[in-house]
Amino acid sequence: MMKIEKMAVIGAGVMGSAIAAQAANAGVPVLLLDIVPEGATDRNMVAKNALKKLQETDPPPLMHRKNLARITPGNIEDDLEKLAETDWIVEAVIEKPDIKHKLYRSLDSVRKSGSIVSSNTSTLPLAELTRNMPENFRRDFLITHFFNPPRYMRLLEIVYGPETRPDALAALVDFGDRRLGKSIVHSNDTPGFIANRIGIFWLQLGLLEALRLGLTVEKADTVISHPFGIPKTGIFGLLDLVGLDLVPHIVPGMDRALPPNDPFHAISQVPDLVTRMIAEGYTGRKGKGGFYRLNRNRGERIKEALDLQTGAYRVSTKPELASIAAMKAGGLAGLLQFHDKTAEYARSVMAQTLAYAAEVAPHVADDLESVDRAMRLGYNWQYGPFELIDRIGDENLVRMLEAMGKPVPDLLRHDGPLYQVVDGRLHGLAFTGTGGTKPTLRAVNRPPGVLLLADVKRRSKPLTKNPSASLWDVGDGVVCLEFQSKMNTFDPLVLKLVHKAVDIVRSDYRALVIYNEADNFSAGANLGVLLFGVNIALWPEVENMVKQGQEAFKALEYAPFPVVGAPSGMALGGGCEILLHCDAVQAHAELYMGLVEAGVGVIPGWGGCKEMLLRAFADKKSPQGPMAPVARVFETVSVATVSKSAQEAKDLLFLRPTDGITMNRDRLLFDAKEKALALSESYAPPEPPVFYLPGPSGKAALDMAIGQYRRLGKATAHDAVVAGALADVLTGSDTDISKPLSEDDLLALERRAFMDLVKRKETIARMEHMLETGKPLRN
């Protein structure tokens, strides 16, 4: 298989520069080219300005600031010859066939033989893009449709033609999967491909139906989001995010491209309200506002919503819907059977969208799972359309469509669920040919190196479990510890299962991996459980919970087998601390890791201070001596620093230099398992550490820094109290530099400081505010 070792991106707009950034995140050198503006003094100014914007964009397209150095700016007049050094050229220029064809002829004259060329188009068919191009170009050409922003959106739709070289396709799929971290979905060469074909229909229908029914944007977004596993942006929040100015281009474009019998034509009108909003500059988040806006008058930030009937803004309110209450009592069926305008909206939008997905699926993809994966990853739906159909029941969906007088696609007449588990393996409907003949049940296959816990669960039962955690045998003598509490927070049940995991693995297995497939690894300690004890002054029980956590994590640290953490998403507070006690970590690239206890008025109490000190003293790249490592940990922990990626977590010492990073989320468990097996070959538990800390003199130095922050207004009075307690622990309290301190000595200091702080009313107020709002409180 050919290797892709260097890339080029032509077009330094928002998408092109962000694609280049993701390639740089993967460690690949990238050439970023664009036009030379007329009269430009710097001929590379377009690409250079794009690189500047990459550094200013939030959330950041770059996983680490050093990755920017891998992107070389240039222009298509002076630097085209450099394309001869690249293996893959991505075209991301304006969606006009004549401009693309002209560029392709230029690329073809300089690129090396066998290099791959792809277009990031989201609208133009491959046949149109390759029209009148030479055969060798057509053999090397594909469509690679990234979703915005490329760093965070895992979907990559690939369209290949009848003449595309199989080895070029295989190389691009492998590179996109392993290096860029994308979930590859093969799409047929049809308008909008898969995700946008269905997603644009859903958005347009959702907009028109809210107008027809006279709903507020808040009610529409509330009823269409959480009940169906759709992000809380719903319809109108997502339109604001995408940009309303795209609607007059996308909707008519789809209308022109789709076949005459497509149901989209019936909803292809652009409402006058949208036209007027665009004309007045209300294009969404990138404009003055959209269906929602933040009013910053008089220094306040007040969220406002557009009244769809009057066109005026008003203060946005969170609706209490009877239809949602009905769902709480009767599930999704309770919502869909309810009789009010919000339930009618949900029925109309989702029933027609799911029917549309069933109608077009045989034309856009080879199987239902590809369609579902495209919508999950391209639009962040928790369930794909066919997974939703199985949850609703195809008979119920048919009844809803018939009641609305809408046609029922043949696929919904299929006998039985669209997905079934057969002999422990997931099967889904697949089509025997493009355009769809009778669908047949086929096993959902995973690429080599992909191991999903969801698949393990289909074919086996847990070794042991409780309501908050489970243990699973994932093969080859490796056990997986999975958290399953709300936000994967730590409560006594999780800590109890940690001890049980150590006993089980010690007896019969080789290694333990700590992993789950939720959006976030762990949000830390369960504040609700903690606050219950605090509010009734059960101080011995609160301290016992702190001690239980210390003992559980210490048991992992000194277990006679390797423990590998495999986090993705947020790993905060206790979620960070358990990883600090692992022998190794195999992290997903998108890791937001940190000791954030200071934000709720306490300090890390489960060994986090101790483990960070060990890493700081062991880090040969940092200044050494009795105080420098202590100051480094203090600086990180006192302000609740959180990494913005796994790469950045290494800078912060949350990850070791030897810890691994997996770009593709689906490969994380497999990679962690392989790491655990490698460590098990000659494993020995670590030796207990000894600390030599500066004591009161070091504490005095840190207190001076705290006072300075307080005087500058960068810390509140309670921030200073918390920082002082942290400083006391990190300097060893009343020790001196010649006195050795054990691990247990440090844990005792953590426990004492935690208990002192948790009894303060300011800390209790912060915890209650965090539990209620999910946001820290400054007091």
Side-chain angles (χ1 to χ4, degrees), residues 645-662:
S645 68
Q647 292 178 21
E648 193 174 283
K650 291 193 174 189
D651 290 351
L652 296 168
L653 304 183
F654 296 139
L655 296 182
R656 304 176 184 87
T658 54
D659 287 334
I661 297 176
T662 296

Side-chain angles (χ1 to χ4, degrees), residues 422-492:
V422 181
D423 297 327
R425 291 189 65 188
L426 180 65
H427 287 62
L429 290 188
F431 311 107
T432 56
T434 302
T437 58
K438 186 176 180 180
T440 56
L441 208 60
R442 185 173 70 191
V444 175
N445 292 315
R446 312 296 184 194
V450 169
L451 173 63
L452 300 182
L453 193 56
D455 289 339
V456 174
K457 292 179 179 182
R458 290 187 183 99
R459 63 175 182 258
S460 63
K461 294 182 179 180
L463 300 173
T464 186
K465 68 175 183 177
N466 63 37
S468 297
S470 301
L471 281 184
W472 300 91
D473 183 342
V474 293
D476 301 313
V478 179
V479 171
C480 175
L481 169 61
E482 176 198 26
F483 312 136
Q484 56 204 38
S485 54
K486 185 176 181 180
M487 291 292 289
N488 293 326
T489 52
F490 290 87
D491 57 26

Side-chain angles (χ1 to χ4, degrees), residues 113-126:
S113 176
S115 62
I116 300 170
V117 180
S118 72
S119 174
N120 185 56
T121 184
S122 60
T123 58
L124 297 175
L126 186 144

Side-chain angles (χ1 to χ4, degrees), residues 757-768:
L757 291 168
V758 82
K759 295 175 182 178
R760 291 177 172 267
K761 65 179 186 301
E762 298 91 347
T763 294
I764 296 171
R766 286 191 181 192
M767 287 185 173
E768 289 174 340

Side-chain angles (χ1 to χ4, degrees), residues 210 215-225 232-234 236 291-292 303-308 314-321 342 345:
L215 289 184
T216 66
V217 293
E218 297 102 323
K219 287 182 178 180
D221 285 343
T222 297
V223 77
I224 209 70
S225 56
K232 63 182 180 181
T233 51
F236 294 96
F291 294 107
Y292 298 96
K303 185 177 181 181
E304 296 181 336
L306 187 77
D307 187 305
L308 296 180
R314 52 169 175 74
V315 175
S316 180
T317 58
K318 184 177 180 180
E320 297 291 333
L321 302 182
T342 62
Y345 178 76

